[in-house]
Amino acid sequence: MASFAVLDSFLASASRFCCSPLAIFVQIQGCFICLTLALGWSLAAYVRNQERRKIERNIKGGNCFAFLCDDINDLEHSAQLNLPRVSVIMPLKGFGEHNLHNWRTQITSLYGGPLEFLFVVESNEDPAYFAVSKLLAEFKDSVDAKIIVAGLSTTCSQKIHNQLVGVEKMHKESKYVLFLDDDVRLHPGSIGALTVEMEKNPKIFIQTGYPLDLPSGSLGSYCIYEYHMPCSMGFATGGRTFFLWGGCMMMHADDFRKDLYGIVTGLRDGGYSDDMTLAAISGDQKRLITSPPVAVFPHPLASDLSFSRYWNYLRKQTFVLESYISTVNWIMNRALFSVHCYLSWGFCLPYFMATVHLATAVRAQYSEYLLKEIGTLSCGLRLVGCLAACALIELLSMWNLTKVEIHLCNILSPEWPQISLRSYNWGLVFIAMLVDNFLYPISAVRSHFSQSINWSGVRYHLRDGKIIKIERSKERGTKYSDLARKRLYAKKPKVSLLSSFSRNFSLWHQPKEV
């Protein structure tokens, strides 16, 4: 009985605190955060849905290739001859369960102009080297593709190093360069759609897109899905945006040849994040970044994505805010750091307070002491009801955007197996929202004070926003990447004890040199 008295006293104090003016403000703020996210996702769904309806109208109007282009006359041979040359550069490391399918969607593009694919690896011992070699052997001379060995990076991240080596090796007549990650699953008309937009508006500096995560069922995969969903608003504008995703970036090839605005120098000399660096340069120079509504790409997550690998992925995402190339870029990163941390815990705290209100209400049925706090209980339950309604609206809006994007992806890739919304577990989505927003400030603070990150077996150290040291373990460190469960190193052939003994015996039995 004494223990219940202590519990009742604690719940009464906690409930009174959660109904104080400051606590009520925090809970109302949490409701506004939920509704703001819901509104943003609704607007994003509207933009994507408009594009889906336009494609469906074109198909009904007789253009059965509307998933490739709006006007079927653009597929005439005379029109295709005038398309510019595009070089597609794919920096690779390791080989995972979805990579082969992703690469197939990239090299089987239905773009009608001159097109080359450059797969760039750090060494020929990378498992990606062997996997790509087998894939290209299947297509032989049907695609213009080759593998480039870039070597180890020394002044920037390995991904940026691979990208810059690819730029050096691209065709001299290429007008555009498209950077793709190995986890991008392209639609047949994606390269054509990006190129058409670049041709329409020469002022475009960078064109980008964004992934639609397909969770594998683990909490870690749902946390990554939830992390990306708020960012998806900035990519569903149907045009100009301030956001940039390094997984898909189309740029003018001459910008790299001329090192315009120092983009090559900025990336090469201490660059850690390709998209954050290029976005900062674009902002400084007031250049245009756009994201067409069709640039949404299915992104299946690893089937065994563990929570620890999600945590390291989150660490990598927060670590990019520690890299910068200018004072303005540093100020922007600090602002993003502060706002994101504030909003993340501003989202989580109301749910903690709601738990207090509910626990107090349940316990009050058995405690006369808590029944005296009837005014506080009534206030707390009203706040819980308000938060629950806002959370439900938020989840419905997220569900609607995901449904629209899945439908759009299915229309844009009619020949591939159709994606389904039925595999999503919305209970886990809600839990992932709380977990991810709670952990984000912790990860951001740790990244700020550590100034180092281990990604795919390589540890990068920053100082003044640039990489100053790269550590690679002689033992090669972890065997798998943290996110996609990609095998990072080639398997060594197994040697049985008997064969090893036979080989050593034969060597011993050979005549010795005098």
Side-chain angles (χ1 to χ4, degrees), residues 17-33:
F17 173 78
C18 291
C19 287
S20 65
L22 176 62
I24 291 176
F25 168 78
V26 171
Q27 291 169 86
I28 294 176
Q29 176 186 254
C31 292
F32 275 108
I33 293 173

Side-chain angles (χ1 to χ4, degrees), residues 222-295:
Y222 278 103
C223 285
I224 291 172
Y225 162 75
E226 190 282 328
Y227 175 82
H228 284 156
M229 283 303 289
C231 303
S232 66
M233 301 175 196
F235 293 87
T237 60
R240 187 185 186 99
T241 181
F242 298 100
F243 297 87
L244 181 60
W245 178 51
C248 175
M249 301 185 298
M250 177 172 275
M251 302 180 65
H252 296 270
D254 280 343
D255 290 352
F256 284 89
R257 296 187 182 107
K258 299 174 182 178
D259 194 14
L260 185 68
Y261 309 130
I263 57 176
V264 174
T265 306
L267 290 168
R268 182 189 59 215
D269 299 341
Y272 170 72
S273 172
D274 54 336
D275 48 13
M276 292 293 284
T277 301
L278 292 172
I281 293 174
S282 176
D284 289 343
Q285 302 298 326
K286 305 295 187 296
R287 294 302 305 272
L288 180 62
I289 299 176
T290 65
S291 180
V294 293

Side-chain angles (χ1 to χ4, degrees), residues 361-465:
V362 171
R363 179 58 192 157
Q365 301 179 42
Y366 309 98
S367 172
E368 295 182 1
Y369 178 77
L370 289 177
L371 284 176
K372 299 177 182 178
E373 304 287 338
I374 188 65
T376 303
L377 286 172
S378 178
C379 173
L381 290 177
R382 284 198 296 270
L383 290 170
V384 170
C386 181
L387 182 62
C390 293
L392 180 60
I393 293 172
E394 179 191 19
L395 282 172
L396 286 173
S397 182
M398 185 189 294
W399 170 83
N400 182 56
L401 175 58
T402 306
K403 180 190 71 172
V404 169
E405 290 187 337
I406 284 177
H407 198 169
L408 179 59
C409 287
N410 286 336
I411 290 177
L412 292 172
S413 293
E415 79 286 5
W416 294 111
Q418 301 291 280
I419 309 169
S420 173
L421 186 66
R422 288 176 292 181
S423 61
Y424 285 73
N425 184 326
W426 294 98
L428 274 179
V429 169
F430 177 72
I431 295 173
M433 291 168 63
L434 296 177
V435 171
D436 184 65
N437 282 284
F438 176 77
L439 290 178
Y440 183 91
I442 298 173
S443 174
V445 170
R446 182 175 176 183
S447 295
H448 177 70
F449 286 104
S450 69
Q451 291 293 296
S452 69
I453 186 71
N454 186 315
W455 186 246
S456 295
V458 181
R459 180 165 291 278
Y460 299 100
H461 297 265
L462 294 184
R463 180 186 297 165
D464 297 329

